[in-house]
Amino acid sequence: MATEVSDLLPQIDRSALPAHVAIIMDGNGRWARKRGLPRVAGHRAGINAVREVVEGSAELGIPVLTLYAFSVENWKRPRSEVTTLMQLLKEYLNKELENIHRNNIRFRTIGRTDELDASVQAELDKGIAKTSRNSGMIFNVALNYGGRAEIVDAVNRLLRNGGKAAADNGGITEEHFAQYLYTAGQPDPDLLIRTSGELRVSNFLLWQIAYAEIWVTDTLWPDFEKRHLYEAIIAYQKRERRYGGLEPAQMTIEH
Ligand code: FPP
């Protein structure tokens, strides 16, 4: 029997929420196949799950949520599927932007969005502009995103912005480099969620997930609900994070 939201919510420690939750939404195709439907029906059903996690994260007070919607590798999919994904994104924004705005959420994108269709870019720009003065959760949608592409883009921007001089003058620090990433100014993900059971990071936020806790569920993305998000956060809060160090008790043991 499914665990209820009302059982899970009290188990979440509001003072120790992940500063950034990143999600690899996977399994839309399998969800559709199980029902004898075309793959795009899975993507359409996946929109409900997007709504669930955006709402659920904002309600909890998660500072940053990032969803992996379209990777640089996804162009290899059939043209009709790519077109539908872009169409769904536009529909989603059209329908949800008011709600996103009303919930004080800041909508943003990460990725090479300048390579997307002009009509998609226009819709994205509208969402970003409308919500830019909000002060609540940052909601990043990763579009035409690749972790390696992001690092290469950061290096190029750094070089164009006096990187050579900085390198000669004491070297570039991790903090300095991170300012050139798409996520500049945002905390790194503490929690990375992946649906549909695959154990891969798929070129997602490669720099930023250095210390992220990874939580994988067999649930397919269209079936993902608030309660799954809560389960992930509860599991995250039970983990002991050491960042390469030792747990405090061990620090006192002589070796
Ligand atoms: C992975 O499932 C899912 C995607 C590549 C796309 C996710 C996109 C959406 C849910 C819709 C638009 C997004 C937003 C933010 C409004 P898959 O097709 O790889 O599934 P499979 O591995 O089962 O084939």
Side-chain angles (χ1 to χ4, degrees):
M1 204 184 122
T3 316
E4 295 298 328
V5 162
S6 53
D7 296 329
L8 295 169
L9 261 183
Q11 295 178 47
I12 296 178
D13 176 355
R14 306 291 181 116
S15 69
L17 292 172
H20 183 165
V21 175
I23 308 184
I24 301 176
M25 310 183 283
D26 194 14
N28 294 351
R30 275 162 281 177
W31 184 94
R33 194 166 61 234
K34 268 172 56 180
R35 289 162 177 77
L37 297 168
R39 293 179 52 79
V40 291
H43 296 318
R44 184 166 286 282
I47 298 283
N48 294 329
V50 170
R51 212 173 284 121
E52 286 273 303
V53 293
V54 171
E55 246 182 58
S57 305
E59 281 164 8
L60 274 180
I62 301 285
V64 185
L65 172 72
T66 302
L67 302 184
Y68 202 2
F70 194 84
S71 75
V72 288
E73 289 85 14
N74 285 152
W75 295 110
K76 292 183 214 148
R77 295 190 176 204
R79 208 184 145 76
S80 59
E81 183 172 340
V82 172
T83 310
T84 305
L85 276 169
M86 295 301 154
Q87 190 56 40
L88 282 174
L89 179 69
K90 285 194 279 185
E91 273 178 37
Y92 168 80
L93 274 176
N94 237 316
K95 219 165 141 197
E96 291 296 315
L97 189 57
E98 259 324 308
N99 204 21
I100 288 173
H101 186 47
R102 222 176 307 117
N103 284 305
N104 197 24
I105 296 170
R106 287 172 280 181
F107 175 77
R108 297 196 188 163
T109 60
I110 58 170
R112 293 178 175 168
T113 49
D114 55 321
E115 291 172 1
L116 299 176
D117 191 88
S119 67
V120 178
Q121 289 189 48
E123 209 63 54
L124 296 172
D125 289 346
K126 197 169 99 189
I128 295 166
K130 187 176 174 78
T131 62
S132 66
R133 282 184 302 278
N134 289 345
S135 58
M137 184 176 84
I138 294 177
F139 169 31
N140 298 311
V141 179
L143 288 163
N144 196 19
Y145 176 87
R148 288 184 175 181
E150 176 177 27
I151 292 169
V152 168
D153 286 353
V155 170
N156 282 320
R157 282 184 56 212
L158 179 61
L159 290 174
R160 282 196 298 270
N161 285 280
K164 178 74 172 66
D168 291 340
N169 191 17
I172 288 152
T173 62
E174 290 184 11
E175 290 72 23
H176 185 191
F177 182 73
Q179 287 168 20
Y180 290 88
L181 295 170
Y182 305 143
T183 53
Q186 301 180 18
D188 287 338
D190 291 309
L191 174 60
L192 173 66
I193 296 174
R194 181 164 190 147
T195 57
S196 91
E198 308 296 343
L199 302 175
R200 287 191 290 274
V201 294
S202 298
N203 201 12
F204 190 40
L205 300 172
L206 294 182
W207 173 281
Q208 297 91 333
I209 60 167
Y211 294 102
E213 294 291 331
I214 303 179
W215 189 81
V216 176
T217 174
D218 285 335
T219 302
L220 304 175
W221 179 249
D223 293 327
F224 198 90
E225 297 172 2
K226 279 182 196 173
R227 65 191 167 92
H228 298 102
L229 174 73
Y230 299 159
E231 278 172 22
I233 292 170
I234 293 164
Y236 159 83
Q237 290 185 332
K238 286 187 180 143
R239 299 214 193 148
E240 176 208 327
R241 303 182 78 202
R242 292 189 301 192
Y243 302 96
L246 297 178
E247 55 179 301
Q250 275 186 298
M251 292 293 281
T252 58
I253 299 170
E254 297 261 351
H255 288 279

